[in-house]
């Protein structure tokens, strides 16, 4: 079956580094996406991994290990505005097909 | 460029009424997705279209739900009759079919409350 697991909640302080983990079990794999969703708003795209390794984009990085069915999102130099839900999503098939989403990790950043 | 546009933003209606949600995808995108988000179940796919053709509707809860995409720039999701358990945020998303890096872009959602 399909299963994507993420921690439900995490807390951190401004300026710190936080790592949000995601493990997945799906029947196919053609990419893993991370989305950010602020309360009451739409999910917005953060990153995409399809090959093993680290993808860096400013303060955010995402890592993938396909053999372990594992990814993480790394947020550096945390800011208050980073308080949001972070959604891990897997695409099983080719481009243009649906994503399977985890339930999201709610990150609270305090001063 | 305009993003995915959904209407209405909020809908409150009594159970038994028909509800129609609307979506305009990003121009040029040929894949369109309808998702439902609740606290309990997270973000779940209901149905998606490629080039206006429904590809997978296995996520549609039951016959009360139907979706159409009459042309490349418009889609509707209809619930008839509506029930309180249908209360959720409904998101529409669109993407390009080509290019595996292409993410899905989400609209602002419709917050639906069935009383």
């Amino acid at each position: 079956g399909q299963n994507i697991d993420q921690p439900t909640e995490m807390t951190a302080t401004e300026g710190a580094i936080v790592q949000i983990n995601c493990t997945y079990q799906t029947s196919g794999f053609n990419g893993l996406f991370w989305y950010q969703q602020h309360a009451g708003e739409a999910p917005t795209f953060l990153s995409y991994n399809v090959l093993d390794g680290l993808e860096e984009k400013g303060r955010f990085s995402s890592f993938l290990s396909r053999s372990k069915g594992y990814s993480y999102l790394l947020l550096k130099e945390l800011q208050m505005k980073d308080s949001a839900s972070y959604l891990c999503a897997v695409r099983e098939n080719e481009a243009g097909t649906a994503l399977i989403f985890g339930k999201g990790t709610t990150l609270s950043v305090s001063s | 460029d305009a993003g995915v546009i959904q209407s209405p933003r909020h809908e409150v209606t009594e159970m038994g009424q028909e509800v129609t949600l609307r979506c305009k995808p990003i121009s040029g995108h040929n894949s369109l997705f309808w998702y439902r988000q609740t606290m309990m179940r997270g973000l779940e796919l209901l149905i998606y279209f490629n080039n206006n053709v429904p590809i997978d509707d296995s996520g549609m809860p039951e016959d009360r739900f139907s979706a159409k995409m009459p042309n490349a720039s418009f889609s509707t999701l209809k619930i008839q009759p509506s029930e309180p358990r249908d209360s959720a945020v409904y998101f529409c998303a669109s993407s390009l079919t080509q290019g595996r890096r292409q993410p899905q872009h989400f609209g602002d959602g419709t917050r639906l409350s069935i009383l």
Side-chain angles (χ1 to χ4, degrees):
Chain A
Q2 305 163 337
N3 196 42
I4 299 180
D5 285 320
Q6 309 177 230
T8 304
E9 294 179 334
M10 298 183 73
T11 59
T13 54
E14 266 188 309
I17 299 173
V18 71
Q19 178 175 310
I20 303 174
N21 296 324
C22 170
T23 57
Y24 63 89
Q25 292 175 310
T26 55
S27 56
F29 182 83
N30 193 16
L32 187 143
F33 295 79
W34 284 96
Y35 280 80
Q36 180 190 58
Q37 185 178 24
H38 285 101
E41 298 183 8
T44 55
F45 170 69
L46 286 178
S47 69
Y48 169 78
N49 296 71
V50 70
L51 300 176
D52 289 353
L54 191 68
E55 294 268 349
E56 297 186 81
K57 193 188 293 185
R59 294 189 298 114
F60 293 4
S61 304
S62 56
F63 172 83
L64 176 67
S65 168
R66 288 171 297 173
S67 63
K68 296 181 179 177
Y70 168 70
S71 173
Y72 67 73
L73 181 69
L74 193 71
L75 292 76
K76 303 176 186 175
E77 301 169 15
L78 280 174
Q79 303 174 10
M80 298 290 284
K81 67 177 181 179
D82 297 328
S83 294
S85 180
Y86 292 86
L87 305 170
C88 173
V90 170
R91 185 175 59 207
E92 292 185 302
N93 300 304
E94 65 276 12
T97 59
L99 302 181
I100 305 166
F101 281 85
K103 292 187 178 178
T105 300
T106 300
L107 174 65
S108 299
V109 180
S110 59
S111 57
Chain B
D1 286 343
V4 176
I5 299 172
Q6 292 186 244
S7 64
R9 289 294 310 277
H10 302 273
E11 175 92 7
V12 180
T13 192
E14 293 186 348
M15 66 178 292
Q17 297 298 307
E18 178 179 289
V19 173
T20 300
L21 311 181
R22 298 173 176 80
C23 176
K24 176 179 169 55
I26 293 172
S27 178
H29 282 190
N30 48 4
S31 293
L32 183 140
F33 306 83
W34 282 101
Y35 291 93
R36 178 171 68 177
Q37 188 174 40
T38 61
M39 290 290 290
M40 288 289 292
R41 301 174 66 91
L43 200 57
E44 300 176 290
L45 177 75
L46 297 175
I47 185 172
Y48 79 95
F49 298 82
N50 278 354
N51 298 311
N52 313 337
V53 176
I55 302 300
D56 182 359
D57 66 354
S58 60
M60 296 285 262
E62 47 200 271
D63 292 345
R64 297 185 298 106
F65 285 67
S66 63
K68 293 182 180 179
M69 192 165 187
N71 57 62
S73 59
F74 184 65
S75 177
T76 59
L77 178 69
K78 189 171 291 187
I79 308 173
Q80 167 63 19
S82 57
E83 297 182 1
R85 60 186 166 136
D86 303 330
S87 298
V89 182
Y90 291 79
F91 286 104
C92 176
S94 71
S95 73
L96 291 169
T97 307
Q98 296 79 25
R100 60 183 183 178
R101 280 193 162 276
Q102 294 297 325
Q104 294 179 15
H105 298 266
F106 284 76
D108 287 334
T110 295
R111 190 171 297 273
L112 179 63
S113 296
I114 308 297
L115 306 177

